[in-house]
Amino acid sequence: MEAREWTAADAASVLRMPTATSHKYSRGVVSLRTGSTSYPGAAVLGVEGAARGGAGMVRWIGDPDVARLVLQRRPEVVTGRAGPTPG
């Protein structure tokens, strides 16, 4: 497989422009379980990227202390507490 540059035309071929009837669910929902109390910036950056990438709704799952930082940056994000990590 050969690598090639991803162009604006490539992006335009897979991304839809929002319309007057678009809503958060038609724009897509993304759930993230990123970051930790040791690396809270990973959670904040992941959420920021999802929001800027055009997701209609961003849900973040993790530690409540990290959730406060996520919500400081992106108050529209829906947060939830993570269960135990498998393994």
Side-chain angles (χ1 to χ4, degrees):
M1 177 182 262
E2 189 174 322
R4 70 174 185 81
E5 180 181 358
W6 182 260
T7 66
D10 293 323
S13 73
V14 296
L15 298 175
R16 293 181 302 187
M17 291 294 293
T19 66
T21 60
S22 295
H23 53 79
K24 67 181 176 183
Y25 299 113
S26 68
R27 302 226 18 199
V29 177
V30 63
S31 292
L32 302 165
R33 186 171 179 175
T34 55
S36 65
T37 54
S38 297
Y39 300 100
V44 174
L45 289 173
V47 164
E48 184 72 16
R52 287 183 180 227
M57 178 183 166
V58 179
R59 179 182 298 125
W60 181 84
I61 307 295
D63 185 89
D65 290 333
V66 179
R68 284 191 275 284
L69 298 173
V70 166
L71 291 172
Q72 282 178 349
R73 180 65 179 195
R74 286 285 182 173
E76 71 275 20
V77 170
V78 176
T79 62
R81 182 184 297 265
T85 303

